[in-house]
mmCIF file with all atom_site columns, all heavy atoms in Angstrom:
data_model
loop_
_atom_site.group_PDB
_atom_site.id
_atom_site.type_symbol
_atom_site.label_atom_id
_atom_site.label_alt_id
_atom_site.label_comp_id
_atom_site.label_asym_id
_atom_site.label_entity_id
_atom_site.label_seq_id
_atom_site.pdbx_PDB_ins_code
_atom_site.Cartn_x
_atom_site.Cartn_y
_atom_site.Cartn_z
_atom_site.occupancy
_atom_site.B_iso_or_equiv
_atom_site.pdbx_formal_charge
_atom_site.auth_seq_id
_atom_site.auth_comp_id
_atom_site.auth_asym_id
_atom_site.auth_atom_id
_atom_site.pdbx_PDB_model_num
ATOM 1   N N   . TYR G 1 188 ? 8.798  5.168  -3.969  1.00 0.00 ? 416 TYR G N   1
ATOM 2   C CA  . TYR G 1 188 ? 9.227  4.616  -2.680  1.00 0.00 ? 416 TYR G CA  1
ATOM 3   C C   . TYR G 1 188 ? 9.125  3.097  -2.639  1.00 0.00 ? 416 TYR G C   1
ATOM 4   O O   . TYR G 1 188 ? 9.950  2.434  -2.011  1.00 0.00 ? 416 TYR G O   1
ATOM 5   C CB  . TYR G 1 188 ? 8.373  5.237  -1.578  1.00 0.00 ? 416 TYR G CB  1
ATOM 6   C CG  . TYR G 1 188 ? 8.799  4.911  -0.160  1.00 0.00 ? 416 TYR G CG  1
ATOM 7   C CD1 . TYR G 1 188 ? 10.065 5.253  0.313   1.00 0.00 ? 416 TYR G CD1 1
ATOM 8   C CD2 . TYR G 1 188 ? 7.921  4.278  0.720   1.00 0.00 ? 416 TYR G CD2 1
ATOM 9   C CE1 . TYR G 1 188 ? 10.448 4.980  1.615   1.00 0.00 ? 416 TYR G CE1 1
ATOM 10  C CE2 . TYR G 1 188 ? 8.299  4.003  2.025   1.00 0.00 ? 416 TYR G CE2 1
ATOM 11  C CZ  . TYR G 1 188 ? 9.554  4.349  2.472   1.00 0.00 ? 416 TYR G CZ  1
ATOM 12  O OH  . TYR G 1 188 ? 9.932  4.077  3.762   1.00 0.00 ? 416 TYR G OH  1
ATOM 13  N N   . GLU G 1 189 ? 8.110  2.513  -3.295  1.00 0.00 ? 417 GLU G N   1
ATOM 14  C CA  . GLU G 1 189 ? 7.903  1.067  -3.236  1.00 0.00 ? 417 GLU G CA  1
ATOM 15  C C   . GLU G 1 189 ? 8.052  0.393  -4.594  1.00 0.00 ? 417 GLU G C   1
ATOM 16  O O   . GLU G 1 189 ? 7.650  -0.756 -4.760  1.00 0.00 ? 417 GLU G O   1
ATOM 17  C CB  . GLU G 1 189 ? 6.521  0.761  -2.652  1.00 0.00 ? 417 GLU G CB  1
ATOM 18  C CG  . GLU G 1 189 ? 6.368  1.177  -1.201  1.00 0.00 ? 417 GLU G CG  1
ATOM 19  C CD  . GLU G 1 189 ? 5.038  0.753  -0.604  1.00 0.00 ? 417 GLU G CD  1
ATOM 20  O OE1 . GLU G 1 189 ? 4.261  0.064  -1.296  1.00 0.00 ? 417 GLU G OE1 1
ATOM 21  O OE2 . GLU G 1 189 ? 4.782  1.092  0.555   1.00 0.00 ? 417 GLU G OE2 1
ATOM 22  N N   . GLY G 1 190 ? 8.601  1.097  -5.567  1.00 0.00 ? 418 GLY G N   1
ATOM 23  C CA  . GLY G 1 190 ? 8.769  0.526  -6.894  1.00 0.00 ? 418 GLY G CA  1
ATOM 24  C C   . GLY G 1 190 ? 9.164  1.607  -7.872  1.00 0.00 ? 418 GLY G C   1
ATOM 25  O O   . GLY G 1 190 ? 10.131 2.330  -7.659  1.00 0.00 ? 418 GLY G O   1
ATOM 26  N N   . HIS G 1 191 ? 8.398  1.719  -8.951  1.00 0.00 ? 419 HIS G N   1
ATOM 27  C CA  . HIS G 1 191 ? 8.659  2.744  -9.958  1.00 0.00 ? 419 HIS G CA  1
ATOM 28  C C   . HIS G 1 191 ? 7.334  3.384  -10.350 1.00 0.00 ? 419 HIS G C   1
ATOM 29  O O   . HIS G 1 191 ? 6.413  2.686  -10.795 1.00 0.00 ? 419 HIS G O   1
ATOM 30  C CB  . HIS G 1 191 ? 9.323  2.141  -11.199 1.00 0.00 ? 419 HIS G CB  1
ATOM 31  C CG  . HIS G 1 191 ? 10.592 1.408  -10.900 1.00 0.00 ? 419 HIS G CG  1
ATOM 32  N ND1 . HIS G 1 191 ? 11.735 2.052  -10.471 1.00 0.00 ? 419 HIS G ND1 1
ATOM 33  C CD2 . HIS G 1 191 ? 10.893 0.084  -10.943 1.00 0.00 ? 419 HIS G CD2 1
ATOM 34  C CE1 . HIS G 1 191 ? 12.694 1.156  -10.285 1.00 0.00 ? 419 HIS G CE1 1
ATOM 35  N NE2 . HIS G 1 191 ? 12.208 -0.047 -10.554 1.00 0.00 ? 419 HIS G NE2 1
ATOM 36  N N   . ARG G 1 192 ? 7.244  4.681  -10.187 1.00 0.00 ? 420 ARG G N   1
ATOM 37  C CA  . ARG G 1 192 ? 6.017  5.370  -10.580 1.00 0.00 ? 420 ARG G CA  1
ATOM 38  C C   . ARG G 1 192 ? 5.929  5.371  -12.101 1.00 0.00 ? 420 ARG G C   1
ATOM 39  O O   . ARG G 1 192 ? 6.828  5.849  -12.793 1.00 0.00 ? 420 ARG G O   1
ATOM 40  C CB  . ARG G 1 192 ? 6.018  6.803  -10.040 1.00 0.00 ? 420 ARG G CB  1
ATOM 41  C CG  . ARG G 1 192 ? 4.661  7.480  -10.163 1.00 0.00 ? 420 ARG G CG  1
ATOM 42  C CD  . ARG G 1 192 ? 4.665  8.842  -9.517  1.00 0.00 ? 420 ARG G CD  1
ATOM 43  N NE  . ARG G 1 192 ? 5.486  9.784  -10.290 1.00 0.00 ? 420 ARG G NE  1
ATOM 44  C CZ  . ARG G 1 192 ? 6.146  10.802 -9.769  1.00 0.00 ? 420 ARG G CZ  1
ATOM 45  N NH1 . ARG G 1 192 ? 6.129  11.007 -8.475  1.00 0.00 ? 420 ARG G NH1 1
ATOM 46  N NH2 . ARG G 1 192 ? 6.833  11.617 -10.551 1.00 0.00 ? 420 ARG G NH2 1
ATOM 47  N N   . LEU G 1 193 ? 4.830  4.855  -12.609 1.00 0.00 ? 421 LEU G N   1
ATOM 48  C CA  . LEU G 1 193 ? 4.695  4.693  -14.056 1.00 0.00 ? 421 LEU G CA  1
ATOM 49  C C   . LEU G 1 193 ? 4.183  5.938  -14.741 1.00 0.00 ? 421 LEU G C   1
ATOM 50  O O   . LEU G 1 193 ? 4.375  6.109  -15.942 1.00 0.00 ? 421 LEU G O   1
ATOM 51  C CB  . LEU G 1 193 ? 3.753  3.527  -14.361 1.00 0.00 ? 421 LEU G CB  1
ATOM 52  C CG  . LEU G 1 193 ? 4.203  2.145  -13.869 1.00 0.00 ? 421 LEU G CG  1
ATOM 53  C CD1 . LEU G 1 193 ? 3.213  1.090  -14.309 1.00 0.00 ? 421 LEU G CD1 1
ATOM 54  C CD2 . LEU G 1 193 ? 5.594  1.820  -14.394 1.00 0.00 ? 421 LEU G CD2 1
ATOM 55  N N   . LEU G 1 194 ? 3.513  6.800  -14.001 1.00 0.00 ? 422 LEU G N   1
ATOM 56  C CA  . LEU G 1 194 ? 2.893  7.969  -14.604 1.00 0.00 ? 422 LEU G CA  1
ATOM 57  C C   . LEU G 1 194 ? 3.676  9.223  -14.267 1.00 0.00 ? 422 LEU G C   1
ATOM 58  O O   . LEU G 1 194 ? 4.474  9.256  -13.324 1.00 0.00 ? 422 LEU G O   1
ATOM 59  C CB  . LEU G 1 194 ? 1.446  8.099  -14.111 1.00 0.00 ? 422 LEU G CB  1
ATOM 60  C CG  . LEU G 1 194 ? 0.575  6.857  -14.306 1.00 0.00 ? 422 LEU G CG  1
ATOM 61  C CD1 . LEU G 1 194 ? -0.795 7.073  -13.695 1.00 0.00 ? 422 LEU G CD1 1
ATOM 62  C CD2 . LEU G 1 194 ? 0.450  6.507  -15.779 1.00 0.00 ? 422 LEU G CD2 1
ATOM 63  N N   . GLU G 1 195 ? 3.452  10.271 -15.044 1.00 0.00 ? 423 GLU G N   1
ATOM 64  C CA  . GLU G 1 195 ? 4.138  11.532 -14.792 1.00 0.00 ? 423 GLU G CA  1
ATOM 65  C C   . GLU G 1 195 ? 3.767  12.118 -13.437 1.00 0.00 ? 423 GLU G C   1
ATOM 66  O O   . GLU G 1 195 ? 4.536  12.806 -12.808 1.00 0.00 ? 423 GLU G O   1
ATOM 67  C CB  . GLU G 1 195 ? 3.823  12.535 -15.916 1.00 0.00 ? 423 GLU G CB  1
ATOM 68  C CG  . GLU G 1 195 ? 4.476  12.203 -17.236 1.00 0.00 ? 423 GLU G CG  1
ATOM 69  C CD  . GLU G 1 195 ? 5.999  12.173 -17.139 1.00 0.00 ? 423 GLU G CD  1
ATOM 70  O OE1 . GLU G 1 195 ? 6.562  13.057 -16.471 1.00 0.00 ? 423 GLU G OE1 1
ATOM 71  O OE2 . GLU G 1 195 ? 6.610  11.250 -17.708 1.00 0.00 ? 423 GLU G OE2 1
ATOM 72  N N   . SER G 1 196 ? 2.550  11.848 -13.008 1.00 0.00 ? 424 SER G N   1
ATOM 73  C CA  . SER G 1 196 ? 2.116  12.299 -11.692 1.00 0.00 ? 424 SER G CA  1
ATOM 74  C C   . SER G 1 196 ? 1.448  11.139 -10.984 1.00 0.00 ? 424 SER G C   1
ATOM 75  O O   . SER G 1 196 ? 1.141  10.118 -11.592 1.00 0.00 ? 424 SER G O   1
ATOM 76  C CB  . SER G 1 196 ? 1.127  13.471 -11.815 1.00 0.00 ? 424 SER G CB  1
ATOM 77  O OG  . SER G 1 196 ? -0.106 13.016 -12.343 1.00 0.00 ? 424 SER G OG  1
ATOM 78  N N   . ALA G 1 197 ? 1.234  11.301 -9.700  1.00 0.00 ? 425 ALA G N   1
ATOM 79  C CA  . ALA G 1 197 ? 0.592  10.244 -8.920  1.00 0.00 ? 425 ALA G CA  1
ATOM 80  C C   . ALA G 1 197 ? -0.908 10.481 -8.813  1.00 0.00 ? 425 ALA G C   1
ATOM 81  O O   . ALA G 1 197 ? -1.546 10.056 -7.867  1.00 0.00 ? 425 ALA G O   1
ATOM 82  C CB  . ALA G 1 197 ? 1.214  10.173 -7.531  1.00 0.00 ? 425 ALA G CB  1
ATOM 83  N N   . SER G 1 198 ? -1.475 11.160 -9.798  1.00 0.00 ? 426 SER G N   1
ATOM 84  C CA  . SER G 1 198 ? -2.882 11.545 -9.720  1.00 0.00 ? 426 SER G CA  1
ATOM 85  C C   . SER G 1 198 ? -3.834 10.399 -10.030 1.00 0.00 ? 426 SER G C   1
ATOM 86  O O   . SER G 1 198 ? -4.988 10.438 -9.645  1.00 0.00 ? 426 SER G O   1
ATOM 87  C CB  . SER G 1 198 ? -3.168 12.715 -10.664 1.00 0.00 ? 426 SER G CB  1
ATOM 88  O OG  . SER G 1 198 ? -2.869 12.349 -12.007 1.00 0.00 ? 426 SER G OG  1
ATOM 89  N N   . SER G 1 199 ? -3.363 9.383  -10.743 1.00 0.00 ? 427 SER G N   1
ATOM 90  C CA  . SER G 1 199 ? -4.239 8.272  -11.099 1.00 0.00 ? 427 SER G CA  1
ATOM 91  C C   . SER G 1 199 ? -4.071 7.120  -10.116 1.00 0.00 ? 427 SER G C   1
ATOM 92  O O   . SER G 1 199 ? -2.947 6.701  -9.836  1.00 0.00 ? 427 SER G O   1
ATOM 93  C CB  . SER G 1 199 ? -3.936 7.770  -12.517 1.00 0.00 ? 427 SER G CB  1
ATOM 94  O OG  . SER G 1 199 ? -4.680 6.591  -12.794 1.00 0.00 ? 427 SER G OG  1
ATOM 95  N N   . PRO G 1 200 ? -5.171 6.583  -9.597  1.00 0.00 ? 428 PRO G N   1
ATOM 96  C CA  . PRO G 1 200 ? -5.068 5.435  -8.689  1.00 0.00 ? 428 PRO G CA  1
ATOM 97  C C   . PRO G 1 200 ? -4.900 4.109  -9.420  1.00 0.00 ? 428 PRO G C   1
ATOM 98  O O   . PRO G 1 200 ? -4.692 3.087  -8.805  1.00 0.00 ? 428 PRO G O   1
ATOM 99  C CB  . PRO G 1 200 ? -6.403 5.477  -7.943  1.00 0.00 ? 428 PRO G CB  1
ATOM 100 C CG  . PRO G 1 200 ? -7.356 6.059  -8.932  1.00 0.00 ? 428 PRO G CG  1
ATOM 101 C CD  . PRO G 1 200 ? -6.553 7.068  -9.715  1.00 0.00 ? 428 PRO G CD  1
ATOM 102 N N   . GLN G 1 201 ? -4.979 4.139  -10.757 1.00 0.00 ? 429 GLN G N   1
ATOM 103 C CA  . GLN G 1 201 ? -4.914 2.923  -11.556 1.00 0.00 ? 429 GLN G CA  1
ATOM 104 C C   . GLN G 1 201 ? -3.772 3.064  -12.560 1.00 0.00 ? 429 GLN G C   1
ATOM 105 O O   . GLN G 1 201 ? -3.913 3.734  -13.582 1.00 0.00 ? 429 GLN G O   1
ATOM 106 C CB  . GLN G 1 201 ? -6.249 2.712  -12.271 1.00 0.00 ? 429 GLN G CB  1
ATOM 107 C CG  . GLN G 1 201 ? -6.424 1.366  -12.919 1.00 0.00 ? 429 GLN G CG  1
ATOM 108 C CD  . GLN G 1 201 ? -7.811 1.236  -13.549 1.00 0.00 ? 429 GLN G CD  1
ATOM 109 O OE1 . GLN G 1 201 ? -7.949 1.337  -14.756 1.00 0.00 ? 429 GLN G OE1 1
ATOM 110 N NE2 . GLN G 1 201 ? -8.818 1.035  -12.738 1.00 0.00 ? 429 GLN G NE2 1
#
Side-chain angles (χ1 to χ4, degrees):
Y416 187 60
E417 294 185 4
H419 304 292
R420 192 175 70 210
L421 298 183
L422 306 176
E423 289 300 318
S424 70
S426 60
S427 173
Q429 191 177 103

